Short mmCIF file of all heavy atoms in Angstrom, two decimals:
data_model
loop_
_atom_site.label_atom_id
_atom_site.label_comp_id
_atom_site.label_asym_id
_atom_site.label_seq_id
_atom_site.Cartn_x
_atom_site.Cartn_y
_atom_site.Cartn_z
N ARG A 14 0.83 -1.21 0.00
CA ARG A 14 0.00 0.00 0.00
C ARG A 14 0.87 1.26 0.00
O ARG A 14 0.45 2.30 -0.52
CB ARG A 14 -0.94 0.00 1.20
CG ARG A 14 -2.11 -0.97 1.04
CD ARG A 14 -3.29 -0.58 1.93
NE ARG A 14 -4.48 -1.34 1.56
CZ ARG A 14 -4.88 -2.44 2.16
NH1 ARG A 14 -4.19 -2.91 3.18
NH2 ARG A 14 -5.97 -3.06 1.77
N ASN A 15 2.07 1.19 0.59
CA ASN A 15 3.01 2.30 0.46
C ASN A 15 3.24 2.61 -1.01
O ASN A 15 3.25 3.78 -1.44
CB ASN A 15 4.36 1.98 1.07
CG ASN A 15 4.36 1.74 2.56
OD1 ASN A 15 5.36 1.29 3.09
ND2 ASN A 15 3.28 2.01 3.24
N LEU A 16 3.45 1.55 -1.79
CA LEU A 16 3.72 1.73 -3.21
C LEU A 16 2.52 2.29 -3.96
O LEU A 16 2.67 3.14 -4.85
CB LEU A 16 4.16 0.40 -3.82
CG LEU A 16 5.49 -0.16 -3.32
CD1 LEU A 16 5.68 -1.60 -3.81
CD2 LEU A 16 6.66 0.71 -3.76
N THR A 17 1.32 1.84 -3.59
CA THR A 17 0.13 2.35 -4.29
C THR A 17 -0.05 3.84 -4.01
O THR A 17 -0.57 4.58 -4.85
CB THR A 17 -1.14 1.58 -3.89
OG1 THR A 17 -1.45 1.81 -2.51
CG2 THR A 17 -0.98 0.10 -4.13
N TYR A 18 0.37 4.29 -2.85
CA TYR A 18 0.28 5.72 -2.51
C TYR A 18 1.09 6.55 -3.50
O TYR A 18 0.74 7.69 -3.81
CB TYR A 18 0.79 5.93 -1.08
CG TYR A 18 0.78 7.37 -0.61
CD1 TYR A 18 -0.39 7.97 -0.16
CD2 TYR A 18 1.96 8.11 -0.60
CE1 TYR A 18 -0.39 9.29 0.27
CE2 TYR A 18 1.97 9.43 -0.17
CZ TYR A 18 0.80 10.02 0.27
OH TYR A 18 0.80 11.32 0.70
N HIS A 19 2.18 5.98 -4.00
CA HIS A 19 3.03 6.70 -4.96
C HIS A 19 2.63 6.45 -6.41
O HIS A 19 3.29 6.96 -7.33
CB HIS A 19 4.49 6.28 -4.77
CG HIS A 19 5.05 6.64 -3.43
ND1 HIS A 19 5.20 7.94 -3.00
CD2 HIS A 19 5.48 5.87 -2.40
CE1 HIS A 19 5.71 7.96 -1.79
NE2 HIS A 19 5.88 6.72 -1.40
N GLY A 20 1.59 5.65 -6.63
CA GLY A 20 1.09 5.47 -7.98
C GLY A 20 1.31 4.10 -8.57
O GLY A 20 0.89 3.83 -9.70
N ILE A 21 1.95 3.19 -7.83
CA ILE A 21 2.12 1.82 -8.31
C ILE A 21 0.78 1.09 -8.18
O ILE A 21 0.14 1.13 -7.13
CB ILE A 21 3.20 1.09 -7.50
CG1 ILE A 21 4.56 1.76 -7.68
CG2 ILE A 21 3.26 -0.39 -7.87
CD1 ILE A 21 5.10 1.74 -9.08
N ASP A 22 0.36 0.40 -9.24
CA ASP A 22 -0.90 -0.34 -9.13
C ASP A 22 -0.75 -1.81 -9.53
O ASP A 22 -1.73 -2.55 -9.55
CB ASP A 22 -2.02 0.32 -9.94
CG ASP A 22 -1.73 0.40 -11.43
OD1 ASP A 22 -0.86 -0.35 -11.93
OD2 ASP A 22 -2.38 1.22 -12.10
N ARG A 23 0.47 -2.23 -9.84
CA ARG A 23 0.73 -3.64 -10.10
C ARG A 23 2.11 -4.00 -9.54
O ARG A 23 3.07 -3.24 -9.70
CB ARG A 23 0.57 -3.98 -11.58
CG ARG A 23 1.45 -3.21 -12.51
CD ARG A 23 0.83 -3.09 -13.90
NE ARG A 23 -0.23 -2.10 -13.92
CZ ARG A 23 -1.08 -1.93 -14.92
NH1 ARG A 23 -1.00 -2.68 -16.01
NH2 ARG A 23 -2.02 -1.00 -14.87
N VAL A 24 2.15 -5.16 -8.87
CA VAL A 24 3.35 -5.57 -8.14
C VAL A 24 3.63 -7.03 -8.43
O VAL A 24 2.71 -7.85 -8.46
CB VAL A 24 3.15 -5.36 -6.62
CG1 VAL A 24 4.30 -5.97 -5.82
CG2 VAL A 24 2.99 -3.88 -6.29
N VAL A 25 4.90 -7.34 -8.62
CA VAL A 25 5.34 -8.74 -8.70
C VAL A 25 6.13 -9.04 -7.44
O VAL A 25 7.17 -8.42 -7.19
CB VAL A 25 6.20 -9.01 -9.94
CG1 VAL A 25 6.64 -10.48 -9.96
CG2 VAL A 25 5.43 -8.67 -11.21
N TYR A 26 5.61 -9.97 -6.62
CA TYR A 26 6.35 -10.44 -5.47
C TYR A 26 7.35 -11.49 -5.96
O TYR A 26 6.97 -12.62 -6.28
CB TYR A 26 5.40 -11.07 -4.44
CG TYR A 26 4.41 -10.11 -3.83
CD1 TYR A 26 3.05 -10.42 -3.78
CD2 TYR A 26 4.83 -8.90 -3.30
CE1 TYR A 26 2.14 -9.56 -3.21
CE2 TYR A 26 3.91 -8.01 -2.74
CZ TYR A 26 2.56 -8.34 -2.69
OH TYR A 26 1.66 -7.48 -2.13
N VAL A 27 8.61 -11.10 -6.05
CA VAL A 27 9.66 -12.01 -6.52
C VAL A 27 10.10 -12.83 -5.31
O VAL A 27 10.89 -12.39 -4.49
CB VAL A 27 10.82 -11.22 -7.14
CG1 VAL A 27 11.89 -12.18 -7.65
CG2 VAL A 27 10.31 -10.33 -8.27
N ASN A 28 9.58 -14.03 -5.23
CA ASN A 28 9.66 -14.84 -4.02
C ASN A 28 10.61 -16.03 -4.23
O ASN A 28 10.64 -16.63 -5.29
CB ASN A 28 8.27 -15.36 -3.65
CG ASN A 28 8.28 -16.24 -2.43
OD1 ASN A 28 8.95 -15.97 -1.45
ND2 ASN A 28 7.53 -17.32 -2.50
N ALA A 29 11.38 -16.34 -3.19
CA ALA A 29 12.27 -17.50 -3.29
C ALA A 29 12.16 -18.39 -2.06
O ALA A 29 13.07 -19.16 -1.77
CB ALA A 29 13.72 -17.04 -3.49
N HIS A 30 11.03 -18.30 -1.34
CA HIS A 30 10.83 -19.14 -0.16
C HIS A 30 9.43 -19.76 -0.22
O HIS A 30 8.43 -19.04 -0.24
CB HIS A 30 10.98 -18.30 1.11
CG HIS A 30 10.63 -19.04 2.37
ND1 HIS A 30 11.16 -20.28 2.68
CD2 HIS A 30 9.79 -18.72 3.39
CE1 HIS A 30 10.66 -20.68 3.84
NE2 HIS A 30 9.84 -19.76 4.28
N GLY A 31 9.41 -21.09 -0.24
CA GLY A 31 8.13 -21.78 -0.36
C GLY A 31 7.15 -21.45 0.75
O GLY A 31 5.94 -21.43 0.54
N GLY A 32 7.66 -21.18 1.96
CA GLY A 32 6.78 -20.87 3.08
C GLY A 32 6.03 -19.57 2.94
O GLY A 32 5.06 -19.32 3.68
N ASN A 33 6.45 -18.72 2.01
CA ASN A 33 5.78 -17.44 1.80
C ASN A 33 4.62 -17.52 0.81
O ASN A 33 3.79 -16.61 0.75
CB ASN A 33 6.77 -16.39 1.25
CG ASN A 33 7.84 -16.01 2.23
OD1 ASN A 33 7.72 -16.21 3.44
ND2 ASN A 33 8.92 -15.44 1.72
N VAL A 34 4.57 -18.57 0.00
CA VAL A 34 3.70 -18.59 -1.18
C VAL A 34 2.25 -18.33 -0.82
O VAL A 34 1.61 -17.41 -1.36
CB VAL A 34 3.85 -19.92 -1.95
CG1 VAL A 34 2.81 -19.99 -3.05
CG2 VAL A 34 5.24 -20.05 -2.53
N GLU A 35 1.68 -19.14 0.05
CA GLU A 35 0.25 -19.02 0.33
C GLU A 35 -0.09 -17.67 0.94
O GLU A 35 -1.19 -17.13 0.73
CB GLU A 35 -0.22 -20.15 1.24
CG GLU A 35 0.41 -20.16 2.62
CD GLU A 35 -0.05 -21.35 3.45
OE1 GLU A 35 -1.23 -21.38 3.83
OE2 GLU A 35 0.78 -22.24 3.69
N HIS A 36 0.85 -17.10 1.68
CA HIS A 36 0.59 -15.82 2.35
C HIS A 36 0.67 -14.65 1.36
O HIS A 36 -0.12 -13.71 1.46
CB HIS A 36 1.57 -15.65 3.50
CG HIS A 36 1.58 -16.83 4.42
ND1 HIS A 36 0.48 -17.16 5.20
CD2 HIS A 36 2.49 -17.81 4.63
CE1 HIS A 36 0.74 -18.27 5.86
NE2 HIS A 36 1.94 -18.68 5.53
N LEU A 37 1.56 -14.74 0.40
CA LEU A 37 1.61 -13.72 -0.64
C LEU A 37 0.39 -13.79 -1.54
O LEU A 37 -0.14 -12.76 -1.98
CB LEU A 37 2.89 -13.89 -1.47
CG LEU A 37 4.20 -13.64 -0.71
CD1 LEU A 37 5.39 -14.00 -1.58
CD2 LEU A 37 4.29 -12.20 -0.23
N ARG A 38 -0.08 -14.99 -1.79
CA ARG A 38 -1.32 -15.13 -2.56
C ARG A 38 -2.50 -14.50 -1.82
O ARG A 38 -3.36 -13.87 -2.42
CB ARG A 38 -1.60 -16.61 -2.83
CG ARG A 38 -0.66 -17.27 -3.81
CD ARG A 38 -0.93 -16.84 -5.23
NE ARG A 38 -2.28 -17.18 -5.67
CZ ARG A 38 -2.85 -16.74 -6.79
NH1 ARG A 38 -2.16 -15.94 -7.59
NH2 ARG A 38 -4.06 -17.11 -7.13
#
């Protein structure tokens, strides 16, 4: 949401840890 405040409206979570997957989704 910090990024959306500056005008970003699409984000790619570049993830390299399997334990993060379901939470990022």
Side-chain angles (χ1 to χ4, degrees):
R14 285 202 168 97
N15 297 170
L16 295 170
T17 66
Y18 179 80
H19 297 296
I21 297 297
D22 61 19
R23 58 207 77 191
V24 172
V25 179
Y26 296 131
V27 181
N28 178 42
H30 173 51
N33 293 341
V34 172
E35 63 183 291
H36 308 293
L37 295 173
R38 290 286 300 170

